[in-house]
Amino acid sequence: MPYDTIITGGTVVNANKTDKADVAIRGEKIAKVGRGLAKKAGNYGTRIIDAEGCYVIPGGVDVHVHLALPFCGTVSSDDFNTGTRAAARGGVTTVIDFAIPYGSDTLQQAVDNWHAKADGIACVDYAFHIAITNWQKQKRELPRMIKQGIPTFKQFMIYEAEGWQSDDAAMFQALEALRDLDGMLMVHAESSRVLDELIARHHNKREMKKHGAYLHTITRPNFIEAEAIQRAVTWAEATGGKLYIVHMSSADGTDIIAHAHRRGLKNVFAETCAQYLVLDDSLFKGKDGHLYATCPQIKKPADQARLWKGLKAGTVCTIATDTCTFTRKQKGVWKGDWTKIPMGMPGLETMLPAVYTEGVLKKRLTMRQFVDKCCTTPAKIMGLGHRKGAIKRGRDADITIIHPTKRIKVDHRKMETNADWSPLQGRPLAGFARTTLSRGKVVVDKYKFCGEKGWGEFLPRAAPGRI
Ligand code: URP
Ligand code: ZN
Ligand code: ZN
């Protein structure tokens, strides 16, 4: 049977192997990986994609995004259409969003709401985690959610005002329950009571005038994240439940995870995000400093260095974006009060280029480690390894072709995101997707989006936490 597409002449990089090979695609799947496939293809109308001189990698798997999220009094401005267009252009072919219950919503209602946001408009494949916002009320629903292919749940230690906060007892019980159900708990780890106290101390006109958006840094010293991570790790150790720390941003947090691994804990995982690797908190002091407000906030160069080291050593297993886009107008509501800035930033379009440029080209990661952290391990750990994250026969033909050195200056005006700014504006990054394929379909060609609204499908997932 002829192939539909063959990618030829490139260097295929998987997390465990680099090979000069062709990749043959039939329908939505990778049919074969091997040398000389294009030569043998014959004249059957097979589409040949020339990848000579380029890397051919699995499509990126961003396991942490918030598209069209009602948050901080507004709604994040990239929805499942623009967000997944941005993903495709950035070489990311799978995104996992968080379905969050509002008010008295059940988990099922939250999932239904999120399906309604994504159905028919996503351009690459997607899945959901679910936030547990009321343990006592929602715990009975866990088995049903897992049956629907959603085996990962998130609890927030902060965000009391949003109605999202969980306490230690809820976290402890969720870890126990998910241990027995073969699920995994994701935790936003920050110490809420001490954080509230620090915010209250600085929440006055004099301080706000003096420090502006830098108050994000002043009120969130590293121990705010580290103490919370330590607490979550303690409950994971006590229960044996699988714990995944989301958006870890600090050196101190990384040390705690490393220590847990040294003690032999195999059920504790940590993710960082591209912004914590390539941006630092001096940005808060600039004219547009408030734009960079995220939660947790970007930290210091020493934290960046520790996170890179942690990635290399395996302490940090995944890189995501925590994409939660707000426009200048949305960010502008702060009017000098840092507690009012909608927290989050765009990232899907620039994650692979930023990590490639700062990681691979600066020799902080090998090419295979880059693929491992951005594609393979995120897929595996979230129960998608059977379909995504590797260029292997039988896997979905989600493939990104990048040129090793060609740089493109980041310019939000030329991007797919709805953001009218970019945290990386003007940076010349290599590693943009020259070509992206989603389930065999070319969705980016010559660096431009050419995909289709509604092409993206919901991905039911298998058991998580296996890497
Ligand atoms: O600033 C962020 N990260 N916004 C999204 C919510 C969260 O905590 O992940
Ligand atoms: Zn969070
Ligand atoms: Zn998030």
Side-chain angles (χ1 to χ4, degrees), residues 64 66 154 156 159 188 246-247 295-296 322:
H64 189 154
H66 303 280
K154 182 175 181 186
F156 299 91
Y159 299 141
H188 176 134
V246 294
H247 52 45
C295 185
D322 198 4

Side-chain angles (χ1 to χ4, degrees), residues 192-204 207-208 215-216 218-220 224 337-339 343:
S192 125
R193 297 292 166 241
V194 178
L195 173 60
D196 289 346
E197 166 60 20
L198 295 183
I199 290 174
R201 277 185 202 178
H202 294 277
H203 200 214
N204 60 64
E207 289 280 287
M208 289 199 276
L215 280 164
H216 266 297
I218 293 171
T219 55
R220 279 182 148 90
I224 291 291
D337 179 347
W338 90 103
T339 66
M343 290 183 289

Side-chain angles (χ1 to χ4, degrees), residues 238-281:
T239 59
K242 284 184 190 136
L243 170 71
Y244 179 95
I245 299 293
V246 294
H247 52 45
M248 188 168 71
S249 61
S250 66
D252 311 53
T254 314
D255 287 344
I256 290 166
I257 301 295
H259 189 240
H261 289 170
R262 279 201 300 278
R263 287 204 307 284
L265 291 194
K266 292 197 169 33
N267 57 330
V268 171
F269 309 99
E271 156 200 289
T272 191
C273 298
Q275 57 270 28
Y276 304 119
L277 296 167
V278 305
L279 303 175
D280 72 70
D281 63 11

Side-chain angles (χ1 to χ4, degrees), residues 76-87:
S76 65
S77 72
D78 273 316
D79 63 10
F80 273 84
N81 184 240
T82 61
T84 55
R85 285 171 72 102

